[in-house]
Amino acid sequence: MASSVGTTSETPESGSAPESSDGSRRGRLSGRRAAIMAVPAVAITAGLAIMTAQGALGVQFAISGMPFTVTATQMDGTGFEQFGGLDNMADNSPNAGDTGGQVLVMTSAIKSATITKLCQSVDLGGTNLLIKAGAGDKKVEATDLTLDSTDLSGDASFSNIEIGNDASTLDKAGVKGPLGVFSQQADTVHIANLRQTNYATTAAVFKLPGLKMSFSGTGC
């Protein structure tokens, strides 16, 4: 997603594509891999990009191909990593369109996170499945949190940011990305007024105080 994030301090993405015997498909995948290299650079220029990792505790399942929106008034994380990646849909997914069943994502990982006023919604075609949590005194808590995003906005700040790492050498969140892929990491991340378009989320532990699920005519 095209990121649009304002940073308040030091400014600053996973999946594997199956090999094919079809030469034209290999050509398309090569172009997608090249695009992966550009994603973090675009994110940095814009100011930030946030969340998931396909690998250790990352997305290791076929995605539905239906994007969902996530918003929060505030998110604070310890141990942040980010690099580019590809998510894959199930074979013959009706949501594949002309993408070949793949989605180019910004893969981010956070070792430990707290989230205030979390809202998540997915458009089911005329109605939205809405999930809310963390609106009271207790915040949403997550460990080994990863998210695959195509769009993100917010106001962000980082501590001890490193930009330009090889993704295979990352060590802040316990996730390593593909060899030779541009990445970034930081000791901590803070984002206010967070808004994302995601295709996948995973966590080792996800605590949702005040959880409420409902159908709604509007999303987050």
Side-chain angles (χ1 to χ4, degrees):
M1 69 180 102
S3 301
S4 175
V5 182
T7 56
T8 58
S9 70
E10 302 99 315
T11 309
E13 265 185 303
S14 52
S16 59
E19 293 184 0
S20 169
S21 59
D22 181 352
S24 62
R25 180 166 175 76
R26 284 199 301 269
R28 290 199 302 272
L29 294 181
S30 295
R32 293 175 188 276
R33 292 190 183 101
I36 290 174
M37 304 296 289
V39 170
V42 172
I44 293 167
T45 300
L48 167 76
I50 230 198
M51 298 180 160
T52 188
Q54 194 155 354
L57 234 143
V59 176
Q60 298 177 338
F61 52 82
I63 64 170
S64 70
M66 297 176 66
F68 54 95
T69 299
V70 174
T71 64
T73 58
Q74 183 170 295
M75 188 207 71
D76 290 282
T78 300
F80 169 80
E81 302 173 356
Q82 185 180 72
F83 50 89
L86 285 172
D87 278 355
N88 296 282
M89 301 177 205
D91 291 342
N92 304 312
S93 171
N95 299 319
D98 61 358
T99 67
Q102 295 180 321
V103 178
L104 180 65
V105 295
M106 291 175 285
T107 293
S108 306
I110 302 176
K111 188 63 180 175
S112 178
T114 58
I115 305 168
T116 303
K117 293 186 178 180
L118 173 69
C119 179
Q120 177 179 301
S121 64
V122 57
D123 187 347
L124 301 178
T127 190
N128 292 271
L129 175 60
L130 198 64
I131 300 174
K132 293 186 176 182
D137 294 335
K138 295 183 178 179
K139 299 179 181 179
V140 171
E141 298 179 7
T143 58
D144 294 320
L145 176 67
T146 65
L147 305 95
D148 285 349
S149 310
T150 56
D151 191 34
L152 178 141
S153 63
D155 302 305
S157 61
F158 301 84
S159 66
N160 296 322
I161 186 77
E162 298 174 3
I163 301 171
N165 312 60
D166 187 296
S168 67
T169 67
L170 296 174
D171 59 7
K172 299 291 187 180
V175 175
K176 295 185 183 299
L179 177 67
V181 171
F182 186 104
S183 69
Q184 58 191 26
Q185 65 178 0
D187 286 347
T188 66
V189 58
H190 168 83
I191 303 177
N193 305 313
L194 172 66
R195 186 175 187 86
Q196 294 177 275
T197 300
N198 293 343
Y199 277 85
T201 298
T202 67
V205 176
F206 208 14
K207 297 181 179 180
L208 299 166
L211 173 64
K212 181 179 180 180
M213 298 179 66
S214 63
F215 291 104
S216 174
T218 58
C220 298

